[in-house]
Amino acid sequence: MLASINAVSGPVVEVVFAGEGRVQLPPLGSLMTTMIRGAARAEPLLMEVRRHADHDRVQAIAFGDTRGLVVGEAVEWSGEPPQVPVGEGVRGRIIDMLGRPLDGGPAIEGPTRPIARPSSPLVERRPPREIFETGLKILDLLAPLPRGGNTGLFGGAGVGKTVLMMELMHNTVHQHHGVSVFAGIGERSREGRELWLEMEETGVLRDVVLVFGQMGETPGIRFRTGLAALTVAEHFRDDASQDVLLFMDNVFRFVQAGNEVSGMLGRSPSRVGYQPTLAAEIAELEERIASTGKAAITSVQAVYVPADDITDPAVAELFNHLDSFLVLSREAASEGLYPAVDPLRSTSTLLVPEVVGRRHAEIAARVRRTLAKYEELRDIIALMGMDELAADDRRAVIRARRLRRFLTQPFAVTRSFTGQAGAFVPLADTLAGCEAILEGRCDDLPEHAFYMGSTLEQLLRAHEARAQEER
């Protein structure tokens, strides 16, 4: 059956099919190929069928620049969906959503999988009822990541978001012996290169797969980058039985790309100008992140909140699929309290006695109450000083300030900058340290003794060693 280009409107290409009798159109989601006749040489252009516009024509989204396309150019199609390479060949590589190398390396050989796939059957899925231990004290205590669940990371520029992601990747590789997959959706080229170089320097890159749909790419590529990364992660989960930590930065740009595609196809906008298919597109992405009997995909997703409006339709829709919420605080970052996670605004659905145990839940609640009390008293302290507080309030402030510093820790991925080795702190040691501070066993120690260290026992030994040197 003959097919040719009928019209081109930006990244949207209309293809008309000629034939006798009933015309068989390619299915939605299938690939088509045409040629761009440039001055130097002809280059193939891949397109994905997104809409059946009439009985004899379809509309497709191009995975590349459409400049140079000519009306009447022949189009080929096989009915196959877009696919991405999977397996060991993609470890340590940077690819786009079709598996084309972006790191200057050789073409990737090996098996491929369609990027648009159904989620795991319900009978095979396991609900997120187990903690993914990160070794980061403040996360494991107050906002435990669910193994096989979704975590939203809310934060702006300059608060340590990328460093926190890299540390989580490092701990996944070295402690859980798993794989990390990073989906850069709408990433700036500069950011992508910096991330690549930092991973190479810290030795993390060999067990990380980076899938980029950069900001300058067409909306079709940015819209499919997250699904391509998920397909790579599903291979490691299902075929290699390895736990996967999936990072997506930024999920809001995935929504924006879908909105661009929807508008270009002529669909009427819905609430606040978003696409009418917003809920379905987010569910298609989020519901594939799951734990099975073989292994789990655990996701950490950066979420941009437009105009700080938490009721924005895109943000509200994403909330429906998240199990844990991490809010990064610019104030904490300015005080040098890293990781700069806001302990009062971050939480997790797993922080209940039935999942984490009664002791963990009680200690977390006491820590949160103590820190909240300190926040209430900060203005009074700034105006009148500590001496004007009641005895109970003074004790709460003393313990809150020590708790907040105890929940900081050095990162392995920043050792080249700080000269301090990273620390992976087991959850049991985090709970024991917080319990000791809450019970007042550390009230006589100076605050700086708790800053940027590992377990409480190691912090106390280091403080004692410094004290002896000063004598």
Side-chain angles (χ1 to χ4, degrees):
M1 184 181 300
L2 298 176
S4 61
I5 294 175
N6 186 59
V8 180
S9 177
V12 177
V13 180
E14 185 176 87
V15 179
V16 63
F17 292 79
E20 297 181 0
R22 184 178 178 84
V23 177
Q24 181 183 359
L25 299 179
L28 296 177
S30 59
L31 273 181
M32 298 191 299
T33 308
T34 189
M35 300 299 293
I36 297 179
R37 310 290 177 180
R41 60 187 177 87
E43 295 182 354
L45 176 68
L46 297 178
M47 306 175 289
E48 182 186 1
V49 178
R50 295 296 300 167
R51 182 169 176 251
H52 289 170
D54 207 338
H55 71 282
D56 64 343
R57 63 195 62 200
V58 301
Q59 286 182 316
I61 294 293
F63 293 142
D65 195 345
T66 58
R67 286 177 294 182
L69 274 185
V70 179
V71 172
E73 184 69 48
V75 176
E76 298 178 358
W77 61 280
S78 63
E80 294 293 326
Q83 303 202 18
V84 65
V86 296
E88 294 300 316
V90 297
R91 279 181 184 257
R93 300 297 303 274
I94 305 177
I95 60 176
D96 67 3
M97 49 83 59
L98 293 172
R100 296 174 294 200
L102 300 177
D103 53 8
I108 298 172
E109 304 291 339
T112 61
R113 274 189 175 191
I115 64 173
R117 297 164 50 84
S119 58
S120 303
L122 287 177
V123 294
E124 298 179 5
R125 297 167 70 110
R126 292 185 176 179
R129 304 287 290 176
E130 182 182 345
I131 290 178
F132 184 90
E133 193 169 331
T134 65
L136 302 179
K137 291 179 281 191
I138 193 167
L139 268 64
D140 292 339
L141 175 68
L142 298 176
L145 272 62
R147 183 177 182 269
N150 299 338
T151 297
L153 178 59
F154 300 83
V159 294
K161 178 178 62 179
T162 300
V163 176
L164 179 56
M165 284 187 171
M166 288 178 59
E167 184 70 8
L168 288 170
M169 289 183 194
H170 177 275
N171 290 353
T172 300
V173 171
H174 290 86
Q175 301 294 331
H176 296 276
H177 306 290
V179 183
S180 294
V181 179
F182 183 89
I185 306 172
E187 284 280 293
R188 299 177 182 87
S189 300
R190 172 185 57 79
E191 293 174 338
R193 179 167 177 78
E194 287 175 357
L195 182 65
W196 175 30
L197 293 176
E198 287 175 5
M199 287 183 177
E200 201 169 33
E201 291 174 2
T202 55
V204 174
L205 185 61
R206 63 181 178 273
D207 287 299
V208 177
V209 183
L210 295 99
V211 186
F212 278 108
Q214 297 173 9
M215 188 175 287
E217 299 288 358
T218 63
I221 290 181
R222 287 182 275 119
F223 184 56
R224 289 308 199 192
T225 297
L227 294 180
L230 253 175
T231 302
V232 174
E234 286 172 336
H235 164 80
F236 288 112
R237 180 194 66 187
D238 299 335
D239 298 341
S241 299
Q242 288 184 299
D243 281 348
V244 183
L245 191 59
L246 172 67
F247 291 94
M248 285 191 279
D249 186 11
N250 189 300
V251 182
F252 186 78
R253 295 191 189 121
F254 160 78
V255 173
Q256 285 181 314
N259 194 21
E260 292 178 50
V261 170
S262 180
M264 291 169 183
L265 294 176
R267 296 181 185 139
S268 299
S270 183
R271 288 188 302 161
V272 200
Y274 285 109
Q275 61 269 42
T277 54
L278 174 67
E281 290 169 1
I282 290 178
E284 181 186 12
L285 179 74
E286 300 288 350
E287 290 305 309
R288 286 172 60 181
I289 301 168
S291 175
T292 67
K294 296 180 179 179
I297 298 176
T298 303
S299 80
V300 178
Q301 307 170 20
V303 181
Y304 167 69
V305 181
D308 293 329
D309 181 11
I310 207 70
T311 64
D312 183 88
V315 178
E317 192 62 42
L318 283 165
F319 265 113
N320 296 331
H321 300 275
L322 297 178
D323 304 294
S324 181
F325 312 93
L326 297 176
V327 181
L328 296 185
S329 164
R330 192 169 301 279
E331 183 181 358
S334 66
E335 295 178 12
L337 301 175
Y338 290 105
V341 176
D342 189 326
L344 299 180
R345 299 171 64 193
S346 303
T347 187
S348 171
T349 57
L350 267 63
L351 199 57
V352 292
E354 294 79 10
V355 177
V356 300
R358 184 171 299 279
R359 178 169 176 258
H360 183 171
E362 289 178 352
I363 291 175
R366 290 174 63 192
V367 168
R368 212 182 292 272
R369 282 196 303 268
T370 304
L371 294 175
K373 186 67 174 177
Y374 173 53
E375 289 298 318
E376 293 176 9
L377 297 170
R378 290 186 74 166
D379 290 341
I380 297 175
I381 296 171
L383 289 171
M384 305 175 63
M386 285 276 289
D387 294 337
E388 299 300 322
L389 298 179
D392 290 343
D393 290 343
R394 195 179 303 116
R395 278 194 297 271
V397 169
I398 289 171
R399 292 168 189 176
R401 291 180 63 87
R402 283 154 179 74
L403 277 171
R404 192 64 188 91
R405 281 150 183 76
F406 173 67
L407 293 176
T408 63
Q409 68 189 88
F411 286 172
V413 297
T414 60
R415 183 172 185 174
S416 59
F417 303 102
T418 64
Q420 192 172 2
F424 183 97
V425 182
L427 176 59
D429 292 332
T430 300
L431 295 177
C434 291
E435 197 170 38
I437 295 172
L438 288 168
E439 291 175 356
R441 285 182 261 159
C442 304
D443 287 357
D444 296 333
L445 295 173
E447 293 176 8
H448 64 79
F450 300 88
Y451 180 68
M452 279 293 173
S454 180
T455 65
L456 182 62
E457 183 180 344
Q458 290 174 334
L459 285 166
L460 296 180
R461 284 203 303 266
H463 174 68
E464 183 62 29
R466 286 194 298 268
Q468 289 181 355
E469 289 177 1
E470 291 173 0
R471 294 188 196 124

